[in-house]
Amino acid sequence: MGKVTGFLEIERHDRKYTPVADRLKHFQEFVVPLSERELRDQAARCMNCGIPYCHGTGSAAPGAPGCPVNNQIPDWNDLVYNGNWEEAARNLHSTNNFPEFTGRICPAPCEASCTLNIDDNPVTIKTIECAIVDKAFEQGWIKPEPPAVKTGKKVAVVGAGPAGLACAQQLARAGHDVHVYEKHAKAGGLLRYGIPDFKMEKGIIDRRIAQMEGEGITFHYGVHVGSNGGLDAKTLLKDHDAVALTGGAEAPRDLPIPGRDLSGIHFAMDFLPQQNRRVSEEPVNATDILAGGKHVVVIGGGDTGSDCIGTSLRQGALSVTQLEIMPAPPERENKALTWPNWPLKMRTSSSQAEGAAREFAVLTQKFEGENGALKKLTCVRVDGQFKPLPGTEFELSADLVLLAMGFVHPVHEGLLKSLGVDLDPRGNVKANLTDYQTSVQKVFSAGDMRRGQSLVVWAIREGRLCAQAIDKFLMGETDLPR
C-alpha cells in the first residue's frame, strides 16, 4: 500500500448529502463529492490485508463476501493515493464495465467485507470508485474501444439493462456484431425507468451508451421481442448466431387481499417510471399516478420502497408511511458471526431519512374505500412467523398505496414461451453457471432473468460471464475474462 500506516492515522470520511429541505425541491443527484485531497487520504486508509475480502470470493451465492465483479480494490486505492488516476481507471474498468452505476447505487458489499469494518470504519470504497470513473469521463480517458478484428458472428441481446449492456459491450469488444433489442425508448432498464434521477441522473447512462455505439453496437429501441406486434422470437433466433436473454425479472409480487381492486393501489414499477419519464420529458403513456397532496403508504421495505418514498416526498405527499412485514433488524450486527459476509442490520436510506414513518412486523389485511377509491388500510402486528397478534389491529389513512414487495420472476408470456426455454422452480430462466446456456440451442440467459431479482453489480457480473460463454460457444475459445 502507498501508506502502510494510513488506516491508523486517518479517520473515515465519506460523501455528504445536501440538506433535506433543499434536495426535496428537485430530482437531481444531491451527493456532495469529496475533494481530490480527501479522496487521496481515504484511499490511504486501505490496509495491506493478508486476505482482501473486498475483492470477492468469486462465489455466486447470495450474501457472499466482497465485490461480485471482483474489483481489484486495493490496487486502485493505491493508484489513487499515488495520484495515478488514469491507471486507476484502467484497472477499475478491467473488472467492471460500468463503475459509474455501481459507484452510485450499489449497496457496497465490498465495504461490509473490508477488514476495517470490523470496527465499523471501512474504507470508502464506493466513493473512491465513483470518483475514479467520473474523473475518467471528465478527462476524456473513456473512449470507444472497437475491436481490431471482426469475427463475422452476429449476436442478439434482448434487454438493455445492466446485464444486457455488460454482455453486449464484452461481445462487441471480442469482435462480434452485436444488436441490442430494447422494448423501451431508451437503454438502461431499471437504471433508467426504475431508479429515480435523484439517485442517478440519466445522462450517466447516455454517455456510456454513446461509447458503446462507438464500439459498433446497434441498439434497436421500441422493439418488444415476442410480443404481439413486436419482433417474432423465432425470427430473432434464426437471424443471429446466438441470443442472450437479459430482460430482467419484471413480474411484481402482488397483495391479493380484500379491496385490492380499489383505485389508488399501484405497483411501484407503475409509479416510478412515470416520474423518470417526466424528468426526461418522455411521454408517460398512462394515467398519471401522483403522490402530491396525498397520504401515501409504501408496502415493502427494500430499495424499491425507498425509491417510492423519495419520489412521493418530492411530488408533495402529505405523509409517507412504509410498512415492512419483517421484524425490525438489529441496530448493529454481531461482527464475530457475520463479517466478512453481508450483515442483516438496520439501515436508513437517504429517502427514508427525508421524513418517512417506518413500521416493522406489520401485515396489511384489507384495503377499504368509498365510491371505489382507497381511503384506509386495516393492518395488524405479526410475530416472528408472520402470524397476526390478537389485539394489535390498527388502521392507516391512505389515498395512495404503492406495492414494492419485490419481483417473483421474469414475465413468461411472449418471449420466453415463444422460445420454449425451461424455467427453474422459482420461475426464472433455467441456465447453468458454467456456460449460461438455456435448454434451447444457442440461447443464453443472464442477470435477473436467470438468477432472480438482485443488485446491479450482480447483473454486470452475469452479463460479463454470459458474454464469455457466448464468445467461447461461437469461437471455440475466448480471451474474455471468466
Side-chain angles (χ1 to χ4, degrees):
M1 295 298 99
K3 188 173 181 62
V4 177
T5 58
F7 72 98
L8 297 171
E9 301 169 10
I10 303 169
E11 295 297 320
R12 175 183 165 92
H13 176 59
D14 207 352
R15 295 174 288 187
K16 305 296 184 185
Y17 300 144
T18 58
V20 171
D22 293 337
R23 68 187 194 238
L24 285 181
K25 297 175 182 177
H26 59 77
F27 282 88
Q28 298 165 353
E29 291 182 16
F30 52 81
V31 175
V32 181
L34 298 183
S35 68
E36 188 164 326
R37 176 57 187 269
E38 290 171 318
L39 289 161
R40 181 179 183 272
D41 287 346
Q42 292 305 303
R45 298 184 67 244
C46 188
M47 301 170 64
N48 189 11
C49 298
I51 301 177
Y53 286 106
C54 61
H55 274 215
T57 62
S59 170
C67 178
V69 293
N70 305 118
N71 279 336
Q72 298 168 26
I73 294 162
D75 299 70
W76 42 256
N77 276 332
D78 182 55
L79 290 164
V80 167
Y81 172 75
N82 287 293
N84 195 343
W85 288 82
E86 188 171 4
E87 183 60 31
R90 279 194 289 269
N91 184 294
L92 179 56
H93 281 90
S94 71
T95 57
N96 186 353
N97 296 69
F98 314 120
E100 67 274 26
F101 303 161
T102 52
R104 285 172 166 80
I105 59 175
C106 182
C110 53
E111 293 191 21
S113 297
C114 177
T115 302
L116 288 175
N117 192 41
I118 292 174
D119 66 353
D120 291 319
N121 283 295
V123 175
T124 55
I125 299 169
K126 178 178 172 179
T127 292
I128 297 169
E129 174 186 40
C130 193
I132 292 171
V133 65
D134 283 352
K135 179 180 279 291
F137 271 109
E138 290 166 9
Q139 297 298 319
W141 298 331
I142 297 178
K143 299 174 182 177
E145 300 177 27
V149 179
K150 300 289 284 186
T151 65
K153 302 292 185 179
K154 187 177 180 182
V155 182
V157 177
V158 183
L165 294 177
C167 183
Q169 187 168 57
Q170 294 294 97
L171 288 169
R173 290 176 176 178
H176 304 302
D177 180 18
V178 180
H179 292 256
V180 179
Y181 295 86
E182 170 56 50
K183 65 182 179 181
H184 293 304
K186 297 180 181 180
L190 287 183
L191 294 172
R192 185 179 296 276
Y193 294 106
I195 292 170
D197 287 71
F198 57 78
K199 288 175 66 175
M200 190 179 75
E201 296 175 14
K202 305 318 172 199
I204 302 296
I205 305 171
D206 295 335
R207 66 187 184 184
R208 187 61 79 172
I209 298 303
Q211 181 203 29
M212 295 175 66
E213 290 174 336
E215 294 169 349
I217 298 171
T218 303
F219 288 87
H220 304 268
Y221 296 119
V223 179
H224 197 169
V225 181
S227 67
N228 291 331
L231 178 60
D232 179 69
K234 296 291 179 64
T235 300
L236 181 80
L237 186 59
K238 179 174 64 70
D239 291 344
H240 295 82
D241 297 295
V243 173
L245 306 180
T246 61
E250 294 185 310
R253 182 172 285 107
D254 205 348
L255 187 58
I257 58 175
R260 174 64 179 87
D261 58 343
L262 292 168
S263 65
I265 304 168
H266 302 276
F267 290 115
M269 289 311 300
D270 291 331
F271 171 69
L272 293 172
Q274 286 195 0
Q275 184 56 48
N276 288 8
R277 288 189 170 96
R278 292 186 193 100
V279 173
S280 64
E281 299 182 345
E282 291 182 57
V284 172
N285 294 328
T287 302
D288 282 327
I289 306 170
L290 294 166
K294 297 177 181 177
H295 295 288
V296 179
V297 174
V298 178
I299 300 179
D303 290 339
T304 303
S306 181
D307 293 343
C308 288
I309 291 170
T311 301
S312 296
L313 291 170
R314 282 162 178 76
Q315 289 183 356
L318 295 177
S319 68
V320 181
T321 304
Q322 184 177 34
L323 305 181
E324 169 60 68
I325 196 170
M326 299 291 289
E331 289 292 333
R332 293 172 57 86
E333 72 272 33
N334 185 332
K335 300 286 187 183
L337 294 178
T338 62
W339 183 86
N341 296 313
W342 181 253
L344 175 65
K345 67 176 182 178
M346 181 67 75
R347 293 178 172 85
T348 300
S349 71
S350 60
S351 292
Q352 290 165 337
E354 290 169 353
R358 301 169 71 186
E359 297 281 351
F360 293 90
V362 170
L363 173 68
T364 304
Q365 294 182 307
K366 181 169 59 173
F367 300 117
E368 297 185 54
E370 296 176 6
N371 301 317
L374 175 72
K375 291 298 179 184
K376 62 182 180 181
L377 286 68
T378 299
C379 305
V380 64
R381 307 282 176 184
V382 296
D383 62 17
Q385 281 70 49
F386 311 123
K387 295 180 180 178
L389 296 171
T392 64
E393 296 82 1
F394 65 97
E395 294 182 345
L396 275 177
S397 296
D399 308 299
L400 174 64
V401 165
L402 300 172
L403 304 177
M405 302 177 295
F407 304 88
V408 290
H409 50 62
V411 174
H412 296 161
E413 297 299 325
L415 173 63
L416 301 186
K417 285 195 173 180
S418 295
L419 290 174
V421 294
D422 288 347
L423 305 176
D424 68 16
R426 295 186 300 156
N428 300 316
V429 174
K430 187 175 182 180
N432 61 57
L433 273 171
T434 56
D435 60 15
Y436 287 80
Q437 289 202 50
T438 70
S439 59
V440 177
Q441 177 69 9
K442 74 177 187 179
V443 176
F444 300 74
S445 185
D448 289 5
M449 182 169 271
R450 190 204 70 83
R451 68 178 284 120
Q453 178 187 357
S454 191
L455 304 175
V456 63
V457 68
W458 279 105
I460 295 170
R461 171 196 170 105
E462 293 246 328
R464 288 171 63 88
L465 293 178
C466 183
Q468 194 263 2
I470 291 173
D471 188 40
K472 188 174 182 180
F473 168 79
L474 293 174
M475 308 304 294
E477 58 184 8
T478 180
D479 291 327
L480 293 177
R482 170 64 192 169

